[in-house]
Structure formats: structure tokens, C-alpha cells
Amino acid sequence: MTEKLNPAEIDFLRSLSTSDLSVLLEKMPKDTQEAALASLMEGSSSNPLQEQMGVTREAKKREWDRRARLSIQDIAPLPPPPTNKTAELRAACDESLRVHLLTCYPNAFDMKFSSDHDRLLVGLEETIRNGGLKAIGMPRGSGKTTIIVRSALWAILSGLRKFCVIIAATDSFSTNLLNGIKTEVLSNDYLYTLYGPEIHALRSLEGESRRAAGQRFEGRRTHSRWLSGSIGFGFIPGVSTNGASIAAVGLTGNIRGQQITNPDGSVQRPDLVLGDDLQTKESAESPQQCEKRYEILMGDVLGMAGAQKRIAGVFSSTIIARGDMAARMLDRKRTPVMRGELCQMVRRWPDNTQIWEQEYRSMWEDELRREGDGSEASEFVKENFEEMHAGSEVGWEERFDGNEVSALQHAYNHKFRDETSFWAEYQNQPKNLASSIMYELIPEDLMGRMNNVQRLKVPAGCEKITTFIDVQNKLLFFMQ
């Protein structure tokens, strides 16, 4: 049986505030916690509830149970705001997206930014601060997704935006992006040191959405949210993220339903949208799907802010096929409002391309056939570095693998591995290879496409007849 506390210990517990009692109860072993609660519920002459209200023991137990639950759910007090040097660092992070990314997420950005990254960062920061739209096409694997996701956090934590929606090609892709934000909120101590009060309500949920319903600060509900498709930073007096939210959705998902009703009855609609690769490989190869996605972007997405309000938006993408949704969005003639910019893995090819296309390629492929790892080819690049790199310019000097010598060599290896995907996904300049492909016409395949309907006869139930005519110089080829 649990031993009860002595009168002095009971009086001490009753003298504590609700938040202090909550902290103390949480630190107690289970047996001691039960003893404390039992002793607090026990009647005594010094108990004002029994003397003044004459409540029964059962009613008093229920009251103490209720208070204990509320006490444990109360997340007061806030962590202290940064001071001295830390406060200066926080101010620098609020002032610059670049500083924020490098300071708060050092493990995510362990390579030097390229000038292409700088263009993306400038576009993001200017748009988040001042509004407008920006589209940037970057090579695959450039880290644009990592930047986009954490830029959403910067926009909210710095107080520049209240409701950011992250859009991806599908709902599942967007959920993955939001999960990255959740991980940073829960686990990133750099972030908590600088933005402790702002993320306190979310971090206190410890990743459990059910805790949000009962969470309180100094007795009042915080209204924080931790859902599969969105997070809400809650309402805490004096905190800049009051009412702020980040949501994630697929482009073909519930774009139109993005709004939140605040406790005071006001409706919060998105004021920032960040798009990351809004198409799949399958949709990029379908003109109909490309057109549909483009229409959703230009209509539903850009109208998310509501009447008489302009939404700020940045969209990063990689072109997969000629004329796909990304290409349309980045085309300044077709979509000038997006102010599209294209980045490429190789901006300018070297003066001597023959040494790469013939000597190096032959050596590299032959080494791979012999189960090599490309190190012999890399030695060749080292020995002829000046000649092989003269006149060239790459987008990201740091981008090459461990046994490679340079970013240009890395680009050529991609090109030799799969030239079609290289020109599309790394150069954002897909080649139209249809004219160079010879199709073998097989009689059986052609016969399989015929309907075997007798000429000049219309089948029963047929409502439409389609006719094709190929106009030639001296005759017409037709089919119906």
C-alpha cells in the first residue's frame, strides 16, 4: 500500500503554483506521485475546500484529478528568449535567410553554396519579404528541396508570414516534406536555442497529435495542431508565431480548402506558397496532365490568398520533358508573372570537348567494364586538368563524388551514363530525340490496329466517323 505524506510535505505541495506542482509531479516516481495525490485529497482541518465548501471525499478526488490533469497539460513557463551573443545571432538569422539556414541546420548544408543556390536564396527571401512570384529551374540533386522546406520555417519563425503552404507533385510527396519540418521542430537544438518560445507549444507535444486538444499555457488552451497535413504553432501571449501554420498538400489535392479558423472567429488564409517539383515523371510526359497541372497552378494555387489579396510564391522545379509543366512555368514568354530563371549543371562546355567525348569516355567505360571504379579515368583528368577544363564553367564547383576530380568530370559522367536524362534533369534543356529514332514497322503490329470493318459500311451503334487525310503534292492518302 502506498505510504502517505506527512503534514509538512502536504502543506508544501499545496503552497505550490499549478505549473510548479505539475513539474514536481512529473519528476516523481509513480508510487510517490500516487502518494502525493492521495495525501492532497485527504481531508484535514487546514484544507480550505473541506472547511468552506463541505465537499464530499469523492467530489474532492474528482476535483484533484481534474486539476492534476490540467497541471500536467500546462506547458508554462516559456523557455527564456536568447540573450547577449545568442540574441545577436538570432537577429542575424531573422535578417538573412542564408544566415538562418547555415546557423540552424549545419548538418543539412555541409557544402558551400553555389551561385545558383544564391539565386534561389535571393528569390526566396525577396518574395517572402515583399511578395510576388518566382520560379527557378535547378538541376536534379541540387538541394533545392532542402532549402525550400527550411525556408518555410524561416518565414514563420521570423514573423514575416503567418500561413505557409508547401506544395509538391502528390500528397505523399508533400507529407514527406512536412515530416522534415516536424523533425527539425522536435529534434533541432540549434533551432530551439534561438527560437525556443516560438516552437515551444509544438515541441511540447512530443510528436503526439492527441496532446494538442488538451494543451494549455497558464490555464488557457493553446490551440496548437500536429496533424499529418499541417502543424499549428498555437497561441501563447507575447510570441510572434501566434496563429501561424504550415500545411502541405499535393498539387492535385485539396488546394481550394486551405484555410484556418482562429479562436476569435477570424479566418486565416495562406499568404505564402512554396512549390517543390510540381510534376511527376509520368505527368511530365503527358501533354494533358501538364496542361491540367499548369491550370491548377495558375488558377487554384495563385488564388489561395482569397479576394483582394496577393499570395507570395516561389516554385523550384526540374524540367523532365520538352514543353512539360515546369518548362511552361519557367518560360518568360508564356508565363512572365513567374519571372522564371534556369540553372544548369554546365553553363559553358570546355574548349576541347573532343578529349572528353573520345579519349576520356573510352577510358572511363573500359575501366567500368573491367569492374573498376573510375579512378584510372580520374587520374587521366588530373594529368590533363588544364586542357580538359579550359573555357568551361559549371553551376556548382563543389558537386562531384569522392573518386572524381571536378564538377565538370561529374557532369560528363552523368552525360555518358544517360544522355537523355542529363540534358533534361541536369541541364533543364531536354533534347527532342524523336527525329533521330528509327521505328521498325512490323506488319503484325499494323494489322492489330485495324478494326476489320468492311469498307463503306458503318457498324451498328456507331455515332461518329473519323477521317484522316495526308495531303501530298500529287495525291491524297486518306483513312477512315
Side-chain angles (χ1 to χ4, degrees):
M1 183 175 180
T2 304
E3 184 178 351
K4 296 180 180 179
L5 305 185
N6 61 50
E9 292 172 326
I10 295 173
D11 290 340
F12 169 72
L13 290 177
R14 286 175 176 159
S15 68
L16 297 176
S17 66
T18 301
S19 59
D20 290 339
L21 177 60
S22 171
V23 173
L24 186 58
L25 286 173
E26 285 185 330
K27 293 182 178 179
M28 289 180 179
K30 184 176 180 180
D31 289 346
T32 308
Q33 187 182 86
E34 291 177 355
L37 291 173
S39 299
L40 287 170
M41 290 184 292
E42 186 69 30
S44 68
S45 59
S46 61
N47 188 336
L49 287 177
Q50 189 177 32
E51 293 177 355
Q52 298 176 21
M53 300 175 60
V55 295
T56 64
R57 182 171 181 175
E58 290 76 13
K60 186 176 180 181
K61 181 179 183 301
R62 290 195 298 270
E63 175 66 14
W64 274 108
D65 286 344
R66 186 186 69 83
R67 292 188 182 186
R69 287 195 303 271
L70 294 179
S71 176
I72 292 173
Q73 293 171 330
D74 200 299
I75 62 172
L78 285 173
T83 57
N84 303 327
K85 293 293 184 181
T86 308
E88 295 178 5
L89 185 57
R90 160 68 188 266
C93 288
D94 287 347
E95 186 64 27
S96 167
L97 172 59
R98 182 191 183 97
V99 173
H100 174 88
L101 296 178
L102 295 177
T103 301
C104 296
Y105 320 100
N107 296 328
F109 302 104
D110 55 353
M111 295 173 62
K112 183 179 178 181
F113 282 147
S114 69
S115 57
D116 287 342
H117 291 119
D118 289 337
R119 292 163 68 184
L120 176 59
L121 293 176
V122 168
L124 278 163
E125 183 165 343
E126 287 183 351
T127 303
I128 291 172
R129 287 189 181 279
N130 306 318
L133 301 172
K134 186 68 178 177
I136 297 182
M138 297 190 71
R140 181 180 177 185
S142 296
K144 61 183 184 299
T145 300
T146 305
I147 293 175
I148 286 287
V149 167
R150 286 151 186 81
S151 295
L153 271 174
W154 177 74
I156 297 296
L157 296 177
S158 61
L160 293 171
R161 297 287 166 175
K162 279 294 186 183
F163 190 177
C164 173
V165 177
I166 299 176
I167 301 180
T170 65
D171 284 335
S172 60
F173 289 167
S174 68
T175 299
N176 289 337
L177 299 183
L178 184 63
N179 287 340
I181 291 179
K182 291 179 176 179
T183 299
E184 295 290 2
V185 169
L186 291 177
S187 308
N188 189 325
D189 291 332
Y190 297 101
L191 199 65
Y192 192 61
T193 299
L194 295 179
Y195 297 94
E198 286 76 10
I199 65 175
H200 181 61
L202 285 178
R203 197 171 175 117
S204 297
L205 296 175
E206 298 182 341
E208 297 187 24
S209 58
R210 61 183 178 83
R211 290 190 177 185
Q215 187 183 78
R216 285 166 168 76
F217 183 84
E218 296 181 346
R220 295 185 176 183
R221 288 191 59 191
T222 63
H223 297 278
S224 62
R225 297 190 316 281
W226 190 273
L227 305 175
S228 61
S230 68
I231 56 175
F233 289 74
F235 291 82
I236 296 177
V239 177
S240 63
T241 51
N242 276 343
S245 300
I246 298 177
V249 65
L251 181 64
T252 56
N254 188 23
I255 294 291
R256 290 176 175 266
Q258 296 298 321
Q259 65 176 32
I260 295 170
T261 302
N262 294 322
D264 62 0
S266 62
V267 176
Q268 179 74 48
R269 296 179 68 97
D271 56 3
L272 173 66
V273 56
L274 300 177
D276 179 64
D277 284 332
L278 302 182
Q279 61 182 357
T280 64
K281 187 173 180 63
E282 179 185 3
S283 71
E285 295 172 350
S286 166
Q288 292 80 12
Q289 291 191 49
C290 288
E291 184 63 27
K292 178 182 177 181
R293 287 175 180 264
Y294 180 81
E295 290 176 356
I296 293 174
L297 172 65
M298 302 305 295
D300 296 351
V301 173
L302 300 189
M304 292 172 70
Q308 297 182 337
K309 293 183 179 179
R310 292 179 57 198
I311 197 165
V314 178
F315 306 90
S316 68
S317 61
T318 298
I319 296 177
I320 299 175
R322 290 176 65 91
D324 65 11
M325 187 257 189
R328 302 179 193 197
M329 178 178 64
L330 292 163
D331 187 346
R332 289 202 170 199
K333 291 184 178 179
R334 175 163 185 166
T335 319
V337 69
M338 286 294 184
R339 301 180 297 147
E341 288 188 59
L342 276 177
C343 302
Q344 297 179 313
M345 179 175 278
V346 180
R347 296 173 184 167
R348 186 165 60 247
W349 295 98
D351 297 335
N352 187 352
T353 58
Q354 184 175 352
I355 193 172
W356 285 101
E357 298 284 351
Q358 297 181 10
E359 295 181 61
Y360 173 80
R361 181 172 188 172
S362 176
M363 182 181 300
W364 179 69
E365 291 179 345
D366 181 63
E367 183 182 353
L368 295 181
R369 293 188 190 99
R370 292 185 284 106
E371 303 293 331
D373 61 357
S375 56
E376 294 177 11
S378 293
E379 284 298 321
F380 177 77
V381 176
K382 287 181 182 178
E383 295 170 1
N384 301 274
F385 191 91
E386 294 298 329
E387 180 183 0
M388 297 179 75
H389 290 77
S392 67
E393 182 182 0
V394 294
W396 191 6
E397 292 283 358
E398 305 289 325
R399 185 173 184 176
F400 56 92
D401 296 336
N403 66 340
E404 295 172 335
V405 176
S406 67
L408 183 61
Q409 181 190 7
H410 181 76
Y412 267 111
N413 287 348
H414 269 296
K415 183 173 182 286
F416 297 150
R417 188 179 300 125
D418 186 347
E419 186 162 355
T420 301
S421 67
F422 172 78
W423 283 106
E425 300 187 32
Y426 295 96
Q427 289 296 101
N428 279 305
Q429 190 180 357
K431 299 293 186 182
N432 186 2
L433 302 179
S435 60
S436 62
I437 299 176
M438 298 299 294
Y439 294 97
E440 182 181 2
L441 298 180
I442 301 175
E444 289 77 9
D445 290 344
L446 294 176
M447 293 295 295
R449 295 176 180 270
M450 298 183 66
N451 57 24
N452 296 318
V453 175
Q454 186 178 352
R455 189 180 181 190
L456 301 179
K457 297 291 184 181
V458 179
C462 180
E463 297 180 354
K464 295 181 180 179
I465 298 177
T466 303
T467 300
F468 297 91
I469 297 178
D470 184 6
V471 180
Q472 299 293 314
N473 188 30
K474 294 184 178 180
L475 73 162
L476 302 177
F477 291 100
F478 73 93
M479 179 178 63
Q480 69 179 22

CSV table of all heavy atoms in Angstrom, one decimal, residues 17 36 43 100 166 188 197 212 394 406 415 441 453:
chain,number,residue,atom,x,y,z
A,17,SER,N,2.4,26.6,-7.0
A,17,SER,CA,1.5,27.1,-8.0
A,17,SER,C,1.2,25.8,-8.9
A,17,SER,O,1.8,24.8,-8.8
A,17,SER,CB,2.2,28.1,-8.9
A,17,SER,OG,3.3,27.5,-9.6
A,36,ALA,N,1.4,11.4,-3.2
A,36,ALA,CA,1.2,12.8,-3.1
A,36,ALA,C,-0.2,13.2,-3.4
A,36,ALA,O,-0.8,14.0,-2.8
A,36,ALA,CB,2.2,13.5,-4.1
A,43,GLY,N,-8.8,14.6,3.6
A,43,GLY,CA,-9.3,15.8,4.4
A,43,GLY,C,-8.5,16.1,5.6
A,43,GLY,O,-7.8,15.3,6.2
A,100,HIS,N,20.3,32.2,-41.5
A,100,HIS,CA,19.4,31.3,-40.8
A,100,HIS,C,19.7,29.8,-41.2
A,100,HIS,O,19.8,28.9,-40.3
A,100,HIS,CB,18.0,31.6,-41.1
A,100,HIS,CG,17.0,30.7,-40.5
A,100,HIS,ND1,16.5,30.8,-39.2
A,100,HIS,CD2,16.4,29.6,-41.0
A,100,HIS,CE1,15.6,29.8,-39.0
A,100,HIS,NE2,15.5,29.1,-40.0
A,166,ILE,N,3.1,24.4,-48.4
A,166,ILE,CA,4.1,23.7,-49.2
A,166,ILE,C,3.4,22.8,-50.2
A,166,ILE,O,2.6,21.9,-49.8
A,166,ILE,CB,5.1,22.9,-48.4
A,166,ILE,CG1,5.9,23.9,-47.4
A,166,ILE,CG2,6.1,22.2,-49.2
A,166,ILE,CD1,6.8,23.2,-46.5
A,188,ASN,N,15.9,19.6,-33.4
A,188,ASN,CA,17.0,20.5,-33.7
A,188,ASN,C,17.2,21.4,-32.5
A,188,ASN,O,16.4,22.4,-32.3
A,188,ASN,CB,16.6,21.3,-35.0
A,188,ASN,CG,17.8,22.1,-35.5
A,188,ASN,OD1,18.6,22.6,-34.7
A,188,ASN,ND2,17.9,22.3,-36.8
A,197,PRO,N,10.8,30.1,-27.6
A,197,PRO,CA,9.4,30.5,-27.3
A,197,PRO,C,8.5,30.2,-28.5
A,197,PRO,O,7.3,29.9,-28.3
A,197,PRO,CB,9.5,32.0,-27.0
A,197,PRO,CG,10.9,32.1,-26.5
A,197,PRO,CD,11.7,31.2,-27.3
A,212,ALA,N,-2.5,17.7,-28.4
A,212,ALA,CA,-2.8,19.1,-28.8
A,212,ALA,C,-4.2,19.6,-28.2
A,212,ALA,O,-4.3,20.7,-27.8
A,212,ALA,CB,-2.8,19.2,-30.3
A,394,VAL,N,30.9,25.6,-64.6
A,394,VAL,CA,29.9,24.8,-64.0
A,394,VAL,C,29.0,25.6,-63.0
A,394,VAL,O,29.5,26.6,-62.5
A,394,VAL,CB,30.5,23.5,-63.4
A,394,VAL,CG1,31.2,22.7,-64.4
A,394,VAL,CG2,31.5,24.0,-62.3
A,406,SER,N,36.5,16.8,-60.4
A,406,SER,CA,35.9,18.1,-60.6
A,406,SER,C,34.4,17.9,-60.9
A,406,SER,O,33.9,16.8,-61.2
A,406,SER,CB,36.6,18.8,-61.7
A,406,SER,OG,36.3,18.2,-63.0
A,415,LYS,N,26.4,12.5,-68.2
A,415,LYS,CA,26.1,12.6,-69.6
A,415,LYS,C,26.3,11.3,-70.3
A,415,LYS,O,25.5,10.8,-71.1
A,415,LYS,CB,26.9,13.7,-70.3
A,415,LYS,CG,26.6,14.0,-71.7
A,415,LYS,CD,27.3,15.2,-72.2
A,415,LYS,CE,27.0,15.5,-73.7
A,415,LYS,NZ,27.6,14.6,-74.6
A,441,LEU,N,8.8,-0.9,-88.4
A,441,LEU,CA,7.4,-1.1,-88.7
A,441,LEU,C,7.2,-2.6,-88.9
A,441,LEU,O,7.7,-3.3,-89.9
A,441,LEU,CB,6.9,-0.4,-90.0
A,441,LEU,CG,7.0,1.1,-89.9
A,441,LEU,CD1,6.6,1.8,-91.2
A,441,LEU,CD2,6.2,1.7,-88.7
A,453,VAL,N,-13.5,-3.6,-90.3
A,453,VAL,CA,-14.8,-3.3,-90.7
A,453,VAL,C,-14.8,-3.1,-92.2
A,453,VAL,O,-13.9,-2.5,-92.8
A,453,VAL,CB,-15.3,-1.9,-90.0
A,453,VAL,CG1,-16.7,-1.5,-90.6
A,453,VAL,CG2,-15.4,-2.1,-88.5
